[in-house]
Amino acid sequence: RHTIQTFEKAKRVSSLSVEVKFKEVTLYLVERKMGSSRRNFLTSLARSKGFRVEDVLSDDVTHVVAEDNQAEVLWAWLKGHGLRDVSRVAVLDISWFTDSMREGRPVRVETRHCIQVREPVVRVSNTPTGTDCSPPTAVANVSQYACQRRTTTENHNKIFTDVMEELAESSEFNESKGPCLAFRQAASVLKSLPSAVHCLEAIQGLPCLGENTKAVMEEILTFGRSFKVEEIRCDERYQALKLFTSVFGVGPKTAEKWYRRGLRSLQEILTEPNIQLNRMQRAGFLYYSDISKAVSKAEAKALGCIIEETVHWIAPDATLALTGGFRRGKEYGHDVDFLLTMPEMGKEEGLLLHVIDRLKDQGILLYCEYQGSTFDVSKLPSCRFEDMDCFQKCFLILRLEQGQVEGERGLQMDPGDSRGWRAVRVDLVAPPVDCYAFALLGWTGSRQFGRDLRTFAQKERQMLLDNHALYDKTKKLCLLATTEEDIFAHLGLEYVEPWQRNA
């Protein structure tokens, strides 16, 4: 008994050795239902933010935090611990802890946070009253490949897919490729369903929904939220990397490097004398307020008119296409992508440089990063897909005026901003005409649709597909295609319209 008391005392001393910012608050996290690993994680998280957390329940504790505990059982457990005055202790749901971690300080205790003894409620089902828990209509033959599913912008399962995408992003920051892909695949399948999922029985037999995914879904169905995502949102590293990568020109590796140097805000990066920003990053910070905001369909249309007029002034017979999310029917995006080519092979060379000069003459070019073509037909086929293809391209920031945007809302501006213009990100890509169909397919997306299309080609058809070509490994030749329909036909797939590729 003496040994146990000594050990417990040592743990209390250890917990007090951490720098404490909020001395008026002492937390105790109830392990029951929460589990030891989650409790340890939350304890470390709270201590890192300056909270005092006791490992042992004592009279020093001011706030008891529990998760998914029945009120009657929890209070009986507390009263059995011999505390002098249980009534002075705030007995709180995990939501108070989550809110406090998000704010970085103890938030005011509200009624919704308190765990109070009440009449027992019998939970008979996860399914809302009157809701059918049978599998959604027409999902019996859902394919594991997004290219064999039709997914519009109408997402009936956003409550799940938003969480899956945050988990995927967190996994990507941690370079955990397996979990990242698993969560993205799960989100893709759920987006394709014709109705909302109300219970786990409704997803039985669907592909790409593993045990981890189902556990997250069950948590959301039961509690209306994902505790794992709430932990991630409170994680300092995740917050920093998400903020840093929101800057144009900053990728995960640079963001991680800045985080490891102790930087936590954009202002700290700008004032750190040892940080050397490249041209793209400097532009990203300079126009951050504008280009971090969503681009509307009306703004994309206005930019389309500007680019089309510019391109056709230089080359009247050029072909121009809006790609990316806007081609898939999305209302908003983070930038606007265009594909342009010439009807004759080789004529596209130098086209982008003339477009850049013309935009500069118009006074609307705020930033430009040009990359010349490195495309070499003799190096086809490529057995390894690269995120960025070899065609000539330019990454631009353009000035868009209020009067150029049709519709009531006009430009997406902050309240009180009286400039009458905003900066918008625009990408231009110019492949040769014989690669145009492949580039159009690749640049239209979505990310998961394109990935599954390439996987289907390789695993099911023994072909290699990327933005440059489609190579048949059995015939040992590149297949010709002048339209996207040709590519689907070569793969033996039904054609999927761009607005049905929002996987």
Side-chain angles (χ1 to χ4, degrees):
R1 179 180 177 84
H2 175 73
T3 302
I4 293 173
Q5 289 175 339
T6 303
F7 177 67
E8 291 179 344
K9 182 177 179 181
K11 287 201 295 182
R12 288 198 295 272
V13 171
S14 175
S15 71
L16 293 173
S17 66
V18 180
E19 182 185 358
V20 176
K21 296 180 183 177
F22 314 107
K23 294 183 172 55
E24 71 283 3
V25 172
T26 301
L27 306 183
Y28 176 79
L29 304 181
V30 179
E31 186 172 317
R32 184 178 180 274
K33 296 284 189 176
M34 184 180 292
S36 60
S37 60
R38 177 167 163 78
R39 181 178 186 250
N40 291 338
F41 171 82
L42 296 180
T43 296
S44 299
L45 174 65
R47 286 174 178 165
S48 72
K49 292 183 178 291
F51 288 76
R52 175 185 284 130
V53 185
E54 290 282 2
D55 294 312
V56 178
L57 185 61
S58 70
D59 288 316
D60 294 333
V61 172
T62 60
H63 294 64
V64 171
V65 177
E67 183 172 41
D68 195 26
N69 276 249
Q70 289 184 337
E72 294 80 3
V73 176
L74 179 61
W75 277 96
W77 179 82
L78 285 172
K79 290 174 181 177
H81 271 67
L83 297 179
R84 286 196 299 268
D85 185 6
V86 181
S87 63
R88 73 173 185 79
V89 180
V91 182
L92 306 171
D93 175 68
I94 192 71
S95 59
W96 177 86
F97 181 91
T98 302
D99 291 347
S100 297
M101 294 304 104
R102 186 178 298 116
E103 294 293 327
R105 59 177 177 78
V107 300
R108 184 171 62 87
V109 174
E110 301 177 10
T111 304
R112 65 185 176 87
H113 294 136
C114 297
I115 298 178
Q116 301 169 335
V117 178
R118 56 187 181 276
E119 292 300 315
V121 176
V122 179
R123 186 182 181 89
V124 296
S125 172
N126 286 339
T127 309
T129 303
T131 301
D132 181 15
C133 201
S134 59
T137 306
V139 300
N141 297 314
V142 172
S143 172
Q144 64 176 311
Y145 299 111
C147 56
Q148 290 185 302
R149 304 191 296 262
R150 284 169 166 74
T151 308
T152 68
T153 56
E154 187 177 8
N155 182 0
H156 299 284
N157 290 289
K158 193 172 173 59
I159 188 174
F160 303 116
T161 59
D162 284 355
V163 166
M164 301 296 174
E165 286 169 352
E166 281 194 76
L167 291 170
E169 181 180 49
S170 175
S171 299
E172 189 171 33
F173 286 154
N174 294 329
E175 297 185 354
S176 301
K177 293 182 179 179
C180 177
L181 177 58
F183 284 124
R184 286 213 169 100
Q185 287 176 324
S188 175
V189 169
L190 292 170
K191 286 178 184 179
S192 72
L193 300 183
S195 60
V197 172
H198 295 295
C199 66
L200 290 184
E201 288 79 2
I203 62 171
Q204 296 305 313
L206 291 177
C208 307
L209 301 180
E211 291 306 312
N212 288 341
T213 299
K214 289 179 181 177
V216 171
M217 293 181 68
E218 184 175 26
E219 195 171 52
I220 295 171
L221 287 167
T222 305
F223 303 106
R225 64 187 194 269
S226 166
F227 299 118
K228 180 63 176 176
V229 163
E230 289 180 356
E231 288 175 14
I232 288 170
R233 289 171 182 166
C234 294
D235 181 66
E236 185 179 59
R237 179 176 173 275
Y238 174 79
Q239 291 174 349
L241 265 59
K242 190 172 179 65
L243 175 64
F244 296 162
T245 54
S246 70
V247 178
F248 175 51
V250 178
K253 290 185 178 179
T254 299
E256 179 71 32
K257 182 173 66 175
W258 289 347
Y259 176 79
R260 291 187 177 183
R261 293 181 67 164
L263 304 174
R264 298 294 182 266
S265 70
L266 300 184
Q267 186 60 35
E268 288 176 343
I269 293 168
L270 292 173
T271 56
E272 170 56 56
N274 295 322
I275 295 290
Q276 299 295 321
L277 302 175
N278 60 35
R279 282 187 65 250
M280 186 177 284
Q281 292 163 355
R282 289 199 297 272
F285 277 103
L286 181 61
Y287 299 108
Y288 182 80
S289 177
D290 277 351
I291 62 180
S292 63
K293 286 195 288 285
V295 183
S296 69
K297 184 185 288 187
E299 290 171 328
K301 183 179 179 181
L303 286 162
C305 292
I306 293 170
I307 298 299
E308 182 177 23
E309 182 180 346
T310 301
V311 170
H312 287 158
W313 185 85
I314 298 165
D317 55 346
T319 299
L320 179 73
L322 174 68
T323 61
F326 290 112
R327 186 169 184 244
R328 302 197 308 271
K330 288 203 165 187
E331 294 292 326
Y332 293 94
H334 68 279
D335 63 4
V336 191
D337 302 323
F338 295 96
L339 210 64
L340 58 151
T341 192
M342 297 291 289
E344 186 179 341
M345 283 286 295
K347 290 292 185 180
E348 77 286 346
E349 294 179 12
L351 178 59
L352 288 186
L353 292 174
H354 291 303
V355 171
I356 291 167
D357 288 340
R358 178 66 176 169
L359 293 172
K360 194 180 298 181
D361 291 342
Q362 295 176 55
I364 62 173
L365 184 64
L366 302 176
Y367 170 82
C368 173
E369 179 83 19
Y370 173 77
Q371 294 182 2
S373 173
T374 58
F375 177 61
D376 184 351
V377 69
S378 67
K379 293 183 179 180
L380 294 177
S382 173
C383 296
R384 182 180 176 185
F385 177 78
E386 300 290 346
D387 287 335
M388 195 58 70
D389 54 48
C390 298
F391 304 127
Q392 59 171 322
K393 58 181 67 69
C394 56
F395 307 105
L396 313 174
I397 299 177
L398 298 183
R399 173 175 172 139
L400 184 62
E401 303 286 343
Q402 176 73 267
Q404 295 172 310
V405 183
E406 297 180 358
E408 296 180 2
R409 298 192 63 180
L411 287 178
Q412 307 292 301
M413 303 285 288
D414 289 329
D417 190 338
S418 58
R419 289 176 301 162
W421 64 274
R422 67 166 289 196
V424 183
R425 281 268 299 105
V426 175
D427 293 341
L428 303 180
V429 185
V433 67
D434 63 341
C435 297
Y436 181 77
F438 303 104
L440 181 62
L441 181 60
W443 277 83
T444 295
S446 66
R447 179 176 179 178
Q448 190 61 40
F449 186 93
R451 185 190 184 284
D452 280 6
L453 193 61
R454 294 189 297 274
T455 302
F456 177 88
Q458 185 164 5
K459 289 188 175 181
E460 308 296 337
R461 298 292 185 261
Q462 301 301 304
M463 297 179 180
L464 297 175
L465 172 68
D466 61 13
N467 287 16
H468 310 95
L470 176 63
Y471 179 80
D472 189 327
K473 292 193 287 185
T474 60
K475 298 178 181 178
K476 297 185 179 180
L477 56 82
C478 286
L479 303 175
L480 299 177
T482 57
T483 66
E484 290 178 309
E485 287 90 337
D486 293 339
I487 301 171
F488 279 83
H490 285 314
L491 293 169
L493 289 170
E494 290 185 19
Y495 180 66
V496 179
E497 295 283 354
W499 59 273
Q500 297 173 324
R501 302 178 199 169
N502 290 283

